[in-house]
Amino acid sequence: SQTIHQWPATLVQPVGSPLSLECTVEGTSNPNLYWYRQAAGRGLQLLFYSVGIGQISSEVPQNLSASRPQDRQFILSSKKLLLSDSGFYLCAWSVRIGRAEYSTDTQYFGPGTRLTVL
Amino acid sequence: EDQVTQSPEALRLQEGESSSLNCSYTVSGLRGLFWYRQDPGKGPEFLFTLYSAGEEKEKERLKATLTKKESFLHITAPKPEDSATYLCAVQESTGGFKTIFGAGTRLFVKA
């Protein structure tokens, strides 16, 4: 069965410090990978998605970047954190079968990382 | 603009008191609608995917239905362990990988 891991579970960082959150998936090959941010009382906001190694698409301009150095590893980074970067960060994976316009992309989420920027 | 609106924002039920959660969506073409359960401080847990109007899916005390404009998550005889936030999300037919999430409905079931 497939398993998705995220670490750390919680993180408290000062403003201006760097950030690195890691996500790994087990039990599947060539997954689509996603980074979301969830603010209190609001829906999940898609930050980045990746369909393969080195292939990253950004949904919103922000202070963050993402990388996919290996097939089942997805990293979220920042060079200098802002107060507004605080939130609950979620990694997700999916496997799409068939052409994009004919298949539905069910996503499965990791346990999340709670980031507090002070 | 594509939107997903969930109502109510919060719902308090007594154990055994059945009810429904609503998810209204506005997309040019629906490729799929998803329901997730999220416990505090945890990632969303997948419940259902619905593809076309008229489709229904069930899992234990939960039943999801889909029309052309909305989806309902029916909870029959809920138990306190059903307390969680329920998220609805949609994928639009020309939206590539983008999934639009609603803000969720917080369900509280009292024993």
Side-chain angles (χ1 to χ4, degrees):
Chain A
S1 63
Q2 297 84 11
T3 308
I4 180 168
H5 303 279
Q6 284 187 248
W7 65 89
T10 60
L11 190 61
V12 180
Q13 293 284 93
V15 169
S17 65
L19 172 73
S20 181
L21 303 181
E22 189 164 343
C23 170
T24 59
V25 181
E26 297 177 354
T28 186
S29 297
N30 195 30
N32 300 321
L33 296 174
Y34 310 80
W35 278 112
Y36 285 87
R37 178 167 56 205
Q38 186 176 34
R42 300 181 65 180
L44 276 69
Q45 179 188 35
L46 179 64
L47 302 176
F48 301 94
Y49 67 88
S50 171
V51 299
I53 296 174
Q55 301 178 62
I56 309 294
S57 296
S58 174
E59 283 295 306
V60 293
Q62 59 216 328
N63 185 41
L64 303 168
S65 62
S67 62
R68 185 171 177 174
Q70 300 180 40
D71 181 44
R72 289 170 288 180
Q73 184 185 29
F74 206 21
I75 297 172
L76 184 68
S77 304
S78 174
K79 293 182 179 179
K80 291 185 178 181
L81 284 169
L82 306 173
L83 288 173
S84 57
D85 291 324
S86 293
F88 191 46
Y89 287 82
L90 291 158
C91 180
W93 70 272
S94 70
V95 176
R96 177 170 291 190
I97 300 171
R99 293 173 61 182
E101 59 268 36
Y102 299 123
S103 66
T104 302
D105 196 28
T106 299
Q107 296 171 26
Y108 301 90
F109 287 85
T113 295
R114 174 71 60 188
L115 172 65
T116 303
V117 182
L118 302 175
Chain B
E1 181 181 340
D2 296 340
Q3 287 190 348
V4 178
T5 303
Q6 292 188 247
S7 62
E9 289 186 11
L11 181 62
R12 297 181 183 274
L13 300 174
Q14 288 291 128
E15 184 173 4
E17 180 186 1
S18 300
S19 188
S20 296
L21 314 181
N22 177 264
C23 172
S24 298
Y25 62 91
T26 305
V27 293
S28 58
L30 182 69
R31 187 152 50 93
L33 184 142
F34 310 89
W35 282 99
Y36 291 86
R37 170 193 169 126
Q38 186 175 25
D39 292 304
K42 297 187 177 181
E45 174 189 348
F46 171 72
L47 293 174
F48 305 109
T49 302
L50 301 169
Y51 298 94
S52 58
E55 187 174 4
E56 300 182 351
K57 288 192 176 177
E58 292 188 63
K59 179 181 180 180
E60 297 180 351
R61 295 178 292 282
L62 300 177
K63 179 180 178 180
T65 62
L66 180 64
T67 72
K68 288 186 177 180
K69 293 185 177 181
E70 57 191 354
S71 177
F72 293 93
L73 185 64
H74 307 277
I75 304 177
T76 301
K79 298 181 178 182
E81 53 262 41
D82 294 323
S83 298
T85 295
Y86 291 86
L87 301 174
C88 173
V90 301
Q91 285 180 355
E92 194 253 336
S93 58
T94 59
F97 293 90
K98 187 171 182 177
T99 304
I100 304 167
F101 280 82
T105 292
R106 289 175 295 154
L107 175 66
F108 304 92
V109 182
K110 186 176 180 181

